[in-house]
């Protein structure tokens, strides 16, 4: 058998291809950023055609860098930004509109109209595990059908397909207009607001209320099985494409969170904490989402509670790109190190409202506690601390929902190289924070799902055996100071509420 597995990680800011060996170690990486399109305040889009072009290119890059060919690849796994909706014409292969990104808030009125039918934000929560919010992809599809000329007629004629970016990449990789496979997995389907959590099937009643034809929706298959093979003429012809996991669930899998009560937090564009709750979905009373963690072949579905934070790494990006305070993301740690604390400044990055545990789409970002004493070092520190404080709020909600206090937190994602942030995270949580040797757990999880499907790995035990600790941060802040800082953070959050009026874009 071939010696490697290829993972495609189609993320919010970039598309990556990573080759892993049997030990779960990275052999080589290729990465390309794609354009972030902001047509109006609150609107966030991607060019799905650019994403597909970049995906092909990074696969070529990684194979060339590793000096390998498709014959060396046992399977391909896909992981992706969830809730980012692509609608495309199956006869031409072209998107009918840009992909609407998970951070986008244009569907607020649609969410309110659906809630007004009865039940408010919780109208579908019992069935799909999610509140009515701009975050999820179902209402984005409705927006495209309602607003793009000719789209609804094409959809009703059966010519349009919808998917999160996993389905878009898979369809193109398996042939596109020439026999492309239109499939998703339950981790992605559970983020549309259209999937029954208990049966992993599309809910016809909700789809009808959102005026989305069922013919647009991909087939829901498990997270680990052979969906099809790479198209002839592609870079991985005939190679089984055998794993799909939404990015946060992929990281949970890659972190070997297989026991009930295991949790991980991924620090990326946003922050996402998942807690394995076993084979029964647990409804949240504290602002968390009930979601599918993974489904391996015909094994029972495993569920999770998730705390989703919209803005963490993207706040650093904003400081770099919009304000020009730093030239690269890595510089924020040096700038934050020029001061001892935040100088009393707190930054609540509610750029697209607040996600967990508040779900306040009327909130907007606020920098509070400013005095003449505050300098750019304090602001840099406040930016990093915002990520840690938001994580603390989610952890509190998880402890309340699960009835079990987490004793440590496994972390991964791009921001975990920031030692200042990781130490403050441990301090503000009051529990150790643990980083694995392979921090690219999102791509790794997708690789494992694909490799397990073709027998490259035998199952979860191989994942557990491959996992290794790299570094551990232990809290060294006294409890009084921790409580004081957290109290001020909670006060800062309240200053972001009720900002959006009807006449505010």
């Amino acid at each position: 058998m071939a010696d490697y597995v290829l993972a495609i990680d189609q993320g919010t800011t970039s598309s990556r291809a990573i080759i892993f060996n049997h030990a779960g170690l990275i052999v080589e990486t290729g990465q390309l950023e794609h354009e972030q399109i902001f047509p109006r305040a609150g609107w966030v889009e991607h060019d799905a055609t650019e994403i597909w072009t970049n995906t092909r290119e990074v696969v070529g890059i990684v194979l060339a860098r590793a000096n390998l060919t498709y014959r060396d690849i046992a399977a391909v796994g896909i992981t992706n930004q969830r809730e980012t909706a692509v609608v495309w014409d199956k006869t031409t292969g072209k998107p009918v509109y840009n992909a609407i990104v998970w951070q986008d808030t244009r569907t607020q009125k649609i969410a309110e109209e659906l809630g007004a039918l009865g039940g408010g934000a919780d109208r579908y929560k019992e069935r799909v595990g999610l509140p009515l919010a701009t975050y999820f992809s179902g209402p984005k599809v409705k927006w495209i059908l309602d607003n793009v000329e000719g789209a609804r007629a094409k959809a009703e004629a059966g010519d349009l397909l919808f998917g999160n970016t996993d389905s878009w990449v898979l369809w193109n990789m398996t042939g596109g207009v020439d026999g492309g496979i239109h499939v998703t997995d339950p981790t992605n389907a559970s983020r549309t607001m259209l999937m029954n959590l208990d049966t992993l099937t599309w809910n016809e009643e909700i789809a009808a209320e959102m005026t989305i034809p069922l013919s647009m929706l991909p087939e829901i298959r498990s997270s680990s099985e052979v969906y099809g093979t790479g198209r002839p003429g592609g870079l991985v012809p005939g190679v089984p494409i055998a794993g799909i996991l939404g990015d946060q669930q992929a990281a949970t899998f890659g972190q070997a969170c297989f026991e009930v009560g295991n949790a991980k937090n991924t620090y990326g564009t946003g922050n996402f904490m998942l807690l394995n709750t076993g084979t029964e979905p647990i409804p949240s009373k504290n602002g968390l989402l009930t979601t599918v963690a993974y489904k391996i072949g015909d094994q029972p579905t495993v569920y999770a509670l998730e705390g989703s934070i919209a803005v963490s790494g993207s706040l650093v990006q904003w400081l770099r790109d919009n304000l020009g305070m730093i030239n690269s993301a890595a510089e924020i740690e040096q700038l934050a190190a020029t001061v001892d604390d935040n100088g009393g400044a707190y930054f609540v990055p509610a750029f697209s409202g607040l996600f967990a545990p508040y779900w306040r789409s009327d909130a907007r970002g606020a920098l509070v506690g400013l005095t003449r004493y505050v300098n750019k070092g304090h602001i840099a520190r406040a930016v990093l601390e915002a990520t840690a404080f938001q994580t603390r709020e989610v952890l509190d909600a998880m402890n309340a929902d699960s009835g079990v206090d987490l004793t440590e937190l496994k972390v991964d994602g791009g921001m975990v190289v920031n030692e200042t942030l990781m130490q403050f995270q441990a301090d503000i949580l009051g529990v150790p924070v643990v980083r694995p040797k392979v921090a690219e757990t999102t791509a790794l999880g997708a690789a494992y799902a694909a490799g397990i499907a073709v027998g490259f790995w035998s199952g979860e035990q191989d994942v557990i055996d491959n996992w290794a600790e790299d570094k551990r941060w232990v809290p060294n802040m006294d409890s009084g100071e921790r409580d004081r800082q957290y109290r001020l953070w909670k006060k800062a959050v309240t200053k972001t509420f009720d900002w959006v009026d009807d006449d505010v874009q």
Side-chain angles (χ1 to χ4, degrees):
M1 181 178 264
D3 292 331
Y4 306 97
V5 171
L6 171 66
I8 292 169
D9 180 357
Q10 201 301 292
T12 307
T13 57
S14 70
S15 300
R16 296 186 303 168
I18 303 181
I19 292 172
F20 292 94
N21 64 17
H22 199 269
L25 299 175
I26 292 173
V27 175
E28 199 52 83
T29 302
Q31 180 170 6
L32 286 171
E33 288 196 4
H34 53 262
E35 186 186 0
Q36 305 296 311
I37 303 164
F38 306 106
R40 292 192 203 172
W43 291 29
V44 190
E45 297 176 2
H46 293 155
D47 177 348
T49 304
E50 181 192 11
I51 283 174
W52 169 231
T53 301
N54 285 1
T55 300
R56 293 204 309 276
E57 195 169 332
V58 294
V59 171
I61 289 168
V62 79
L63 288 169
R65 285 180 179 166
N67 197 23
L68 299 172
T69 73
Y70 68 91
R71 290 186 180 88
D72 300 300
I73 306 299
V76 177
I78 298 170
T79 182
N80 61 293
Q81 52 168 328
R82 306 164 308 168
E83 305 96 14
T84 293
V86 187
V87 174
W88 69 96
D89 187 320
K90 71 180 184 187
T91 56
T92 65
K94 290 185 166 59
V96 299
Y97 188 80
N98 278 340
I100 301 181
V101 180
W102 56 273
Q103 301 141 310
D104 190 286
T105 58
R106 79 186 68 184
T107 54
Q108 181 55 33
K109 282 207 162 44
I110 292 173
E112 287 167 3
E113 286 162 7
L114 290 166
L117 297 173
D122 289 341
R123 178 167 179 78
Y124 307 131
K125 195 169 184 187
E126 200 176 306
R127 289 173 282 176
V128 304
L130 313 172
L132 268 165
T134 59
Y135 182 23
F136 309 108
S137 42
K140 297 180 172 76
V141 180
K142 174 173 168 54
W143 188 94
I144 289 172
L145 297 183
D146 289 348
N147 290 279
V148 175
E149 194 177 339
R152 183 164 294 286
K154 277 187 173 178
E156 285 167 0
D159 290 336
L160 296 191
L161 301 178
F162 149 72
N164 292 344
T165 61
D166 63 306
S167 298
W168 168 242
V169 169
L170 176 71
W171 186 80
N172 280 296
M173 286 190 78
T174 53
V177 294
D178 189 15
I181 290 165
H182 190 217
V183 160
T184 190
D185 89 304
T187 67
N188 275 288
S190 69
R191 316 300 292 204
T192 59
M193 219 190 285
L194 297 166
M195 188 192 84
N196 297 303
L197 263 186
D198 52 352
T199 58
L200 311 188
T201 56
W202 297 119
N203 186 300
E204 295 182 23
E205 186 188 335
I206 298 174
E209 284 190 4
M210 291 194 197
T211 64
I212 297 169
L214 290 171
S215 61
M216 294 180 71
L217 305 180
E219 182 188 351
I220 302 170
R221 306 262 289 272
S222 83
S223 309
S224 176
E225 62 178 88
V226 177
Y227 314 111
T229 57
R231 65 200 165 94
L235 288 161
V236 285
V239 177
I241 301 171
I244 299 175
L245 286 162
D247 52 11
Q248 304 313 321
Q249 289 95 333
T252 307
F253 201 81
Q255 284 271 38
C257 294
F258 301 133
E259 299 289 320
V260 174
N262 286 169
K264 70 88 209 176
N265 198 29
T266 298
Y267 298 74
T269 303
N271 249 43
F272 302 88
M273 191 186 298
L274 268 76
L275 174 78
N276 183 325
T277 60
T279 53
E280 291 293 320
I282 293 182
S284 172
K285 298 182 176 66
N286 294 281
L288 303 178
L289 308 176
T290 305
T291 197
V292 174
Y294 54 89
K295 179 173 171 57
I296 301 305
D298 54 10
Q299 293 177 31
T301 307
V302 175
Y303 295 90
L305 283 169
E306 175 173 324
S308 314
I309 296 165
V311 177
S312 51
S314 56
L315 181 56
V316 178
Q317 211 175 19
W318 179 84
L319 207 66
R320 180 193 72 190
D321 298 344
N322 291 42
L323 298 191
M325 280 176 62
I326 50 176
N327 293 316
S328 70
E331 283 178 28
I332 192 163
E333 188 165 17
Q334 299 153 13
L335 186 54
T338 61
V339 293
D340 293 330
D341 55 36
N342 63 19
Y346 292 81
F347 201 147
V348 187
F351 292 163
S352 46
L354 287 168
F355 285 12
Y358 298 99
W359 299 104
R360 294 287 296 254
S361 58
D362 61 354
R364 285 298 178 266
L367 179 56
V368 301
L370 299 183
T371 60
R372 283 290 300 273
Y373 171 68
V374 172
N375 63 34
K376 62 185 181 181
H378 296 117
I379 291 172
R381 189 169 278 273
V383 162
L384 292 179
E385 291 180 356
T387 291
F389 282 125
Q390 290 179 102
T391 299
R392 164 72 189 271
E393 292 192 288
V394 166
L395 187 78
D396 288 354
M398 288 220 164
N399 288 343
D401 268 341
S402 67
V404 181
D405 286 356
L406 279 185
T407 54
E408 66 177 33
L409 184 64
K410 286 181 173 178
V411 298
D412 54 68
M415 293 180 83
V416 299
V417 297
N418 192 311
E419 307 252 343
T420 305
L421 170 59
M422 290 298 101
Q423 183 57 56
F424 187 77
Q425 186 68 87
D427 288 343
I428 212 69
L429 292 181
V431 299
V433 167
V434 184
R435 180 175 73 196
K437 279 228 162 70
V438 178
E440 295 293 355
T441 53
T442 301
L444 182 57
Y448 279 137
I452 288 169
V454 299
F456 184 82
W457 287 291
S458 57
E460 284 97 319
Q461 191 57 48
D462 280 348
V463 182
I464 293 165
D465 293 345
N466 282 347
W467 191 93
E469 181 176 314
D470 176 48
K471 182 153 186 180
R472 176 179 293 257
W473 290 267
V474 296
N476 62 16
M477 183 184 281
D478 77 65
S479 59
E481 177 60 10
R482 179 184 303 129
D483 294 346
R484 183 189 77 84
Q485 292 222 29
Y486 192 45
R487 183 189 82 236
L488 289 169
W489 165 261
K490 296 285 255 188
K491 189 193 288 191
V493 171
T494 65
K495 307 302 180 193
T496 70
F497 296 163
D498 298 314
W499 183 259
V500 179
D501 299 327
D502 284 344
D503 59 350
V504 174
Q505 280 288 336

